[in-house]
Amino acid sequence: MTSAPDPWPAPRAHAPVAVTVSLPGSKSLTNRALVLAALAEEPSVVRRALRSRDTLLMASALTALGSRVDTTGEDWRVTPAPFAGDAAVDCGLAGTVMRFVPPVAGLSTGRVGFDGDPHMRTRPVGEVLGALRTLGVDVEGDALPFTVRGTGSVRGGTVVVDASSSSQFISALLLAGARYDEGVDVRHDGKPVPSLPHIDMTVAMLREHGVEVDDGGANRWTVAPGPVRPVDHLIEPDLSNAAPFLALAAVSGGSVTVRDWPTETTQAGDALRGILAAMGCVVERVPEGLRVTGPEELQGVDVDLHDVGELAPAVAALCALAATPSHLRGIAHIRHHETDRLAALARELGGLGADVVEHADGLSLRPAALHGGLFHTYADHRMAHAGVIVGAAVDGVLVENVATTAKTFPDFPGTWSGLLGATTS
């Protein structure tokens, strides 16, 4: 494990890179697999689970409720048990823990308190808590800290939510819905739901566990009551975490291969293939996985990132380095992620000389000469990714709190520095 100074001098790519990278597992897949394993009838294994702060918080939360999650090896064994007794859940900065675990806690027979890092108290969760009340769960509070008082069962039924700020509101209710007496019939009423691939991921995983899901109607998802079958999941590489590495190929004019890129996936990060191709990169599947080769001159893009908002920081960093203008649209909802990502990107990229304009739902960027300086991350791992991408192409970029990348990628600084032959300790 590399010890990174703070602020961290982002390594510069002085020549085209030619590297192959193996990425840790997907956080989104790992945490959904852990929840479903805890709700299942028999033990199961989450193979190649991502070991990061977010996933360890999820494992601890489910253990606090009563399940046993053995995280000692690469493959994590989950043994379901009745959810009983009072418990305290630390959400940290993990939206999946704050939103996915309360519907599970409703099945407990104790008081389950939820809290997290200071910034987590500003992230929206009220729609989930209000929905749980409608479904028959006793909830105290509308934001962190809050308490779920379980009675051992949940009535379930029909509920209407506004999931326009996070698709996790929908996934949270669907994941536990099969264990509710009447299942759940979740209907969205509001602006379009962002990050729909994450709901598709949830639905696909529920079906793997033998749960009956109807997602055929617009803005409506129904989960029938019934058992959750145990399934051993093999976790795919985290494709959103591939963004800075593939971006390294784009900014250096070199080549980066990400091992084991799946041929079919519900991960939002798979959209990187089309985005990078539109920016002039050569994107090709090779026996090892996916290879991206950067162009002589990076082109800007006009792209709607509504369904893949988590990619916006990395894409914005690339656009700041492009030779033609860019416009990123459809991402007002990322203001409610780990930080207000639109405001943060405009501020930090602008601080390094980028010509960037913040809009209500996106960013416009025009070519400009960038320079070194301090890039703040706001305890947001995706902001750190943006900073290191710029730093690979611009001398003197210092990334504040690069250690926040441990949220989904253990020892990211060491891996990144190793690719560029840099030393940071």
Side-chain angles (χ1 to χ4, degrees):
M1 181 74 70
T2 300
S3 176
D6 189 18
W8 185 65
R12 178 83 155 82
H14 292 287
V17 301
V19 296
T20 298
V21 183
S22 295
L23 297 179
S26 162
K27 177 204 72 174
S28 298
L29 288 169
T30 298
N31 276 354
R32 283 165 173 78
L34 290 173
V35 170
L36 289 168
L39 293 166
E41 297 177 296
E42 300 290 341
S44 52
V45 178
V46 181
R47 304 190 186 283
R48 297 186 189 173
L50 170 66
R51 181 179 298 276
S52 72
R53 188 185 184 209
D54 275 21
T55 57
L56 289 170
L57 285 169
M58 179 64 82
S60 295
L62 297 171
T63 298
L65 292 181
S67 295
R68 295 194 298 278
V69 184
D70 182 355
T71 63
T72 55
E74 182 184 33
D75 302 333
W76 294 3
R77 184 173 180 83
V78 182
T79 305
F83 302 133
D86 295 346
V89 171
D90 177 9
C91 302
L93 278 172
T96 50
V97 177
M98 179 177 70
R99 294 162 181 156
F100 291 1
V101 178
V104 178
L107 297 164
S108 177
T109 56
R111 289 175 55 94
V112 183
F114 290 79
D115 205 351
D117 290 4
H119 178 69
M120 200 62 172
R121 297 184 177 189
T122 69
R123 296 189 67 185
V125 71
E127 285 289 327
V128 173
L129 303 182
L132 290 176
R133 292 189 185 97
T134 300
L135 297 173
V137 179
D138 184 358
V139 182
E140 299 175 0
D142 293 303
L144 283 177
F146 61 84
T147 300
V148 174
R149 292 155 54 113
T151 60
S153 65
V154 176
R155 182 187 69 249
T158 300
V159 65
V160 179
V161 298
D162 179 355
S164 57
S165 63
S166 177
S167 67
Q168 288 181 1
F169 298 167
I170 303 292
S171 289
L173 300 170
L174 300 183
L175 285 167
R179 290 285 305 274
Y180 293 177
D181 297 344
E182 300 174 15
V184 290
D185 182 346
V186 183
R187 307 179 188 194
H188 163 68
D189 183 14
K191 296 178 181 179
V193 179
S195 305
L196 280 172
H198 284 96
I199 298 180
D200 294 339
M201 176 188 292
T202 298
V203 170
M205 294 183 73
L206 282 165
R207 287 174 174 155
E208 287 184 65
H209 282 264
V211 175
E212 182 182 334
V213 186
D214 181 356
D215 63 343
N219 294 319
R220 183 179 179 183
W221 300 262
T222 303
V223 172
V228 178
R229 187 175 64 218
V231 174
D232 291 351
H233 285 282
L234 178 61
I235 301 300
E236 299 171 1
D238 191 318
L239 304 189
S240 294
N241 270 339
F245 297 97
L246 297 181
L248 180 59
V251 302
S252 74
S255 177
V256 172
T257 300
V258 175
R259 289 189 187 277
D260 303 321
W261 195 283
T263 55
E264 293 185 12
T265 182
T266 53
Q267 290 192 63
D270 195 45
L272 286 166
R273 295 186 297 123
I275 295 169
L276 290 170
M279 299 189 80
C281 298
V282 175
V283 181
E284 55 189 336
R285 291 191 180 276
V286 294
E288 298 86 353
L290 185 79
R291 177 180 297 151
V292 169
T293 303
E296 290 186 10
E297 189 173 66
L298 197 61
Q299 301 301 304
V301 286
D302 186 332
V303 61
D304 188 331
L305 297 176
H306 183 264
D307 285 348
V308 293
E310 66 204 65
L311 303 180
V315 175
L318 285 174
C319 291
L321 297 164
T324 59
S326 297
H327 187 53
L328 309 182
R329 298 175 282 108
I331 44 177
H333 61 282
I334 73 171
R335 294 186 183 279
H336 304 292
H337 284 191
E338 282 78 346
T339 189
D340 180 340
R341 285 180 174 168
L342 289 181
L345 286 166
R347 182 182 306 115
E348 298 308 315
L349 291 173
L352 299 182
D355 183 346
V356 54
V357 177
E358 177 186 351
H359 304 290
D361 78 332
L363 300 169
S364 294
L365 300 103
R366 294 188 298 181
L370 272 60
H371 54 74
L374 181 61
F375 191 96
H376 297 91
T377 63
Y378 309 90
D380 184 339
H381 58 142
R382 304 294 182 202
M383 286 295 297
H385 291 170
V388 302
I389 291 168
V390 175
V394 176
D395 289 327
V397 174
L398 301 171
V399 179
E400 173 261 343
N401 189 22
V402 74
T404 193
T405 51
K407 175 181 172 70
T408 57
F409 195 128
D411 196 27
F412 173 87
T415 301
W416 186 262
S417 298
L419 295 180
L420 294 173
T423 59
T424 59
S425 61

